[in-house]
Amino acid sequence: MIVDGIIILMGYILTFLILFTFWCIFSGYFDAFHLLLGVICSIIVTIFSSHYLFPEPITIESIKRIGRFIGYIPWLIYQIIIANLQVVYLVLHPRMPINPKIITVETTLKDDISRVIMANSITLTPGTITVDIKDNTFWVHSLSDASSSGLINGDIEQKVKTTE
Amino acid sequence: MDIKDIISMVFIGGGLFFFFTGVVGLLRFPDIYTRMHALGKCDTLGLLLNVVGLAIYNSSSLTSIKILFIAVFILLTSPVVTHIIAKITYDSGIKPWQKDNS
Amino acid sequence: MIDFFIFVGVLLCVLITFIFYRVFAGPTLFDRLISMGVIGTKTLVLLLLIGFIYKRPDMFVDISLVYTLLNFIGVLAITKYLRRYKTDGY
Amino acid sequence: MVWQLDLFLLVFIIVLAILSLVVKDLLLSIILLGGYSFFMALIYAEMGAVDVSFTEASVGAGVSTIFMIVALYFTARFVRRDVKTKKISLAGLILASLTALVMIYVADAMPDWGNPQAPAHLHISDRYIEKSQIEMATPNMVTTILADYRGYDTLGETTVIFIAGIVCLLLLGTATQRLKHNYDTKI
């Protein structure tokens, strides 16, 4: 019973801390009056909107998961740079060697957040855009043959699975 | 002209290059889906590089953090916008351009 | 360095002129929509550059943040309308 | 003012304004007007009016775009084929061009941008700059001028805006009820 209460309270406290950090960065004043205003505003917004940010109760597992997601970001940025170089090559090539088509990819990812990460990663990585998601199937528009091969052999899915 | 200025100039120049390719892609590609590749990728990285270059050039740390927040917002929103427009386009029945048709 | 910023700004303006071709000619509505999105990102960088040209970046960064979010919200509102009233793309 | 950028930005503004009037699709017109507001905010920022620019970006590009889309829910996107569009009236054209000519003629007599000898900078600005901090103790001088020195002015403006808002709500409210009524009777 007490543990449940602490877990629910954790969501509120985390939301408040995030909001208050944003307030401090964006206001730029660090005297008592402005910080007090920030605390009041953050508390009001927290009461109304905490359940949007953390719809599920927070456990140690979910905090670990955020840590694993931060470890995933460098790989994503590396992929974004590769994606851009590929698109630059395709755009500036005089004959434009593109072969666009829509392919479907099956996924075994279970929960929604992993799927969102997966879809956004597909959109950001080489020559592919997520067009639609229905249940376990992703409709993906790929720009050339080379770009779709990385998706079909499931590199991204493996990487996303490590954050689960 | 110290080393910080040169680094930020390199970043901004790189960002301009990606912006340029994005616009060339927007003009050259045959249909809406392929144009979206040019938008969703070149534009994101170009803006990212420009913003990071300006944040390096800037001297005040608080403003630099704010500038970097723009980069974070762009990284979060850009794939969502690309995906939403792609889905709307697909739902409205526009068929992708195929190589064989040309 | 300010000359460099002005040079970059003028280059961005030239790029925007080219994007206007797609806004005029783009066959579907979505072409025009993404072209306006691209113009939005260019104006964002232009705004930051103007801030650095005037040596007051702290004032201009706030407007850029609002720009970023409004670009996003505007596209969301337009697509919400288009989901309700389907078009054939024109 | 950076004249190289100004040249481009003013041309973009004119192009977007004309295009958003000419276009037959209302949704496209809204998109173009959003872009127009972004450029307008850029020009305000370039003239040094950061607060006006902030307002233009958030109200012009953000809120009014969304309001216009909401208004679009109550009307149609395209002009109906069977309704004949009105031709350009000659009298209106002459009147508009005359007004434009007069305004261009008058604009020549305006003081240059940023001129310290301009009338606006000579009389009362010094007092605002020197005394507003002592008399009102508000960090933002624009706020002091609007809310304290010109308090009654601002009160009148807010009253007008408030009445306009109430009238809009009344009109929209009846429109929604009528739509609902039509919907119910159809079924």
Side-chain angles (χ1 to χ4, degrees):
Chain A
M1 196 59 193
I2 297 169
V3 178
D4 286 354
I6 289 171
I7 285 171
I8 291 169
L9 209 62
M10 272 286 282
Y12 282 101
I13 290 170
L14 264 180
T15 317
F16 172 76
L17 284 179
I18 291 169
L19 286 172
F20 190 61
T21 320
F22 268 81
W23 172 280
C24 288
I25 291 169
F26 287 144
S27 86
Y29 293 104
F30 293 105
D31 51 288
F33 174 66
H34 286 97
L35 286 183
L36 189 71
L37 272 185
V39 169
I40 293 169
C41 291
S42 304
I43 286 174
I44 292 171
V45 178
T46 303
I47 291 168
F48 283 119
S49 62
S50 175
H51 58 283
Y52 288 117
L53 197 57
F54 299 107
E56 290 159 14
I58 295 165
T59 54
I60 298 167
E61 189 53 37
S62 55
I63 293 172
K64 273 183 188 166
R65 189 169 175 189
I66 293 170
R68 283 200 294 270
F69 177 68
I70 289 170
Y72 169 76
I73 290 175
W75 181 81
L76 189 64
I77 290 174
Y78 171 67
Q79 286 293 315
I80 291 171
I81 293 169
I82 290 181
N84 274 279
L85 292 179
Q86 199 182 4
V87 173
V88 165
Y89 168 75
L90 288 175
V91 167
L92 295 182
H93 194 284
R95 275 181 286 109
M96 265 201 318
I98 57 172
N99 183 20
K101 57 176 177 265
I102 286 189
I103 54 175
T104 54
V105 180
E106 293 284 329
T107 174
T108 54
L109 294 171
K110 286 288 176 301
D111 60 331
D112 289 344
I113 295 175
S114 308
R115 283 189 195 158
V116 170
I117 293 172
M118 170 98 177
N120 280 0
S121 306
I122 287 173
T123 306
L124 284 171
T125 47
T128 45
I129 286 179
T130 317
V131 175
D132 208 348
I133 304 172
K134 277 203 188 89
D135 298 332
N136 283 328
T137 317
F138 284 62
W139 272 262
V140 177
H141 183 266
S142 84
L143 194 54
S144 67
D145 294 334
S147 54
S148 56
S149 69
L151 191 66
I152 289 168
N153 62 31
D155 283 348
I156 298 174
E157 198 179 340
Q158 287 298 321
K159 271 281 176 189
V160 175
K161 229 171 205 173
T162 58
T163 68
E164 228 173 22
Chain B
M1 178 74 71
D2 55 354
I3 190 82
K4 205 172 72 175
D5 288 9
I6 293 171
I7 293 173
S8 76
M9 271 167 105
V10 168
F11 269 102
I12 293 171
L16 270 185
F17 172 72
F18 282 113
F19 271 165
F20 171 73
T21 27
V23 171
V24 171
L26 202 67
L27 295 183
R28 271 189 82 186
F29 276 154
D31 81 328
I32 169 81
Y33 294 97
T34 42
R35 276 175 213 140
M36 235 177 280
H37 286 279
L39 160 83
K41 306 208 169 58
C42 294
D43 228 45
T44 313
L45 190 66
L47 190 73
L48 226 59
L49 286 178
N50 267 320
V51 163
V52 169
L54 287 173
I56 290 172
Y57 173 75
N58 189 31
S59 46
S60 138
S61 60
L62 199 71
T63 313
S64 282
I65 293 172
K66 276 192 202 172
I67 294 177
L68 286 179
F69 261 112
I70 297 175
V72 174
F73 283 145
I74 287 293
L75 261 184
L76 285 177
T77 57
S78 160
V80 176
V81 166
T82 318
H83 165 66
I84 282 179
I85 297 178
K87 186 170 161 59
I88 288 278
T89 316
Y90 193 69
D91 285 350
S92 61
I94 296 172
K95 291 275 175 293
W97 178 87
Q98 299 273 327
K99 203 173 188 179
D100 309 327
N101 296 354
S102 63
Chain C
M1 203 63 187
I2 284 176
D3 289 339
F4 175 71
F5 284 148
I6 291 176
F7 175 69
V8 172
V10 170
L11 274 185
L12 283 176
C13 284
V14 173
L15 281 182
I16 291 174
T17 334
F18 282 114
I19 304 169
F20 265 115
Y21 168 74
R22 189 48 78 195
V23 178
F24 295 134
T28 65
L29 180 76
F30 307 107
D31 283 297
R32 299 171 209 262
L33 190 58
I34 63 169
S35 316
M36 288 314 286
V38 175
I39 288 177
T41 52
K42 303 282 183 295
T43 44
L44 205 153
V45 176
L46 262 178
L47 191 65
L48 280 175
L49 285 173
I50 288 171
F52 278 96
I53 288 169
Y54 285 165
K55 300 192 173 138
R56 295 292 302 275
D58 49 332
M59 289 168 79
F60 288 80
V61 166
D62 294 335
I63 312 176
S64 323
L65 275 166
V66 173
Y67 253 59
T68 326
L69 294 177
L70 288 180
N71 241 338
F72 181 56
I73 292 170
V75 171
L76 282 191
I78 289 165
T79 45
K80 196 168 164 56
Y81 176 82
L82 285 172
R83 276 175 81 133
R84 179 84 160 273
Y85 299 96
K86 289 271 162 57
T87 84
D88 51 350
Y90 296 97
Chain D
M1 290 287 253
V2 190
W3 66 267
Q4 296 99 325
L5 292 179
D6 265 6
L7 206 65
F8 279 104
L9 291 178
L10 292 172
V11 171
F12 292 155
I13 286 276
I14 293 171
V15 167
L16 276 175
I18 292 175
L19 208 65
S20 63
L21 284 178
V22 169
V23 144
K24 291 276 184 273
D25 178 359
L26 276 181
L27 189 65
L28 182 56
S29 187
I30 291 171
I31 297 171
L32 292 174
L33 274 180
Y36 173 86
S37 280
F38 274 137
F39 279 115
M40 207 64 219
L42 206 57
I43 285 180
Y44 286 140
E46 210 210 349
M47 291 174 83
V50 184
D51 48 341
V52 181
S53 163
F54 200 87
T55 316
E56 177 72 38
S58 52
V59 174
V63 178
S64 69
T65 305
I66 291 168
F67 276 1
M68 279 196 266
I69 287 171
V70 171
L72 205 56
Y73 275 104
F74 294 107
T75 174
R77 243 182 85 190
F78 296 101
V79 181
R80 261 167 45 207
R81 285 286 161 80
D82 52 326
V83 177
K84 272 194 178 163
T85 45
K86 236 182 167 181
K87 276 182 185 165
I88 301 165
S89 81
L90 195 68
L93 193 69
I94 290 170
L95 198 68
S97 357
L98 272 180
T99 319
L101 273 179
V102 168
M103 284 177 110
I104 290 169
Y105 177 71
V106 171
D108 198 41
M110 292 271 284
D112 287 342
W113 185 82
N115 182 5
Q117 296 301 316
H121 296 272
L122 285 181
H123 298 296
I124 206 163
S125 311
D126 291 340
R127 187 194 152 90
Y128 286 151
I129 293 168
E130 284 164 10
K131 292 276 180 63
S132 74
Q133 206 57 254
I134 308 161
E135 289 178 349
M136 305 300 171
T138 313
N140 189 340
M141 204 166 67
V142 177
T143 314
T144 327
I145 293 171
L146 282 180
D148 293 329
Y149 289 113
R150 298 181 190 162
Y152 284 117
D153 253 20
T154 314
L155 184 67
E157 279 174 31
T158 4
T159 316
V160 170
I161 292 173
F162 187 65
I163 292 169
I166 289 176
V167 170
C168 282
L169 275 180
L170 285 174
L171 286 174
L172 281 178
T174 53
T176 354
Q177 275 163 15
R178 207 181 308 134
L179 271 184
K180 225 181 233 165
H181 179 72
N182 285 351
Y183 189 71
D184 288 344
T185 47
K186 246 176 220 168
I187 291 172

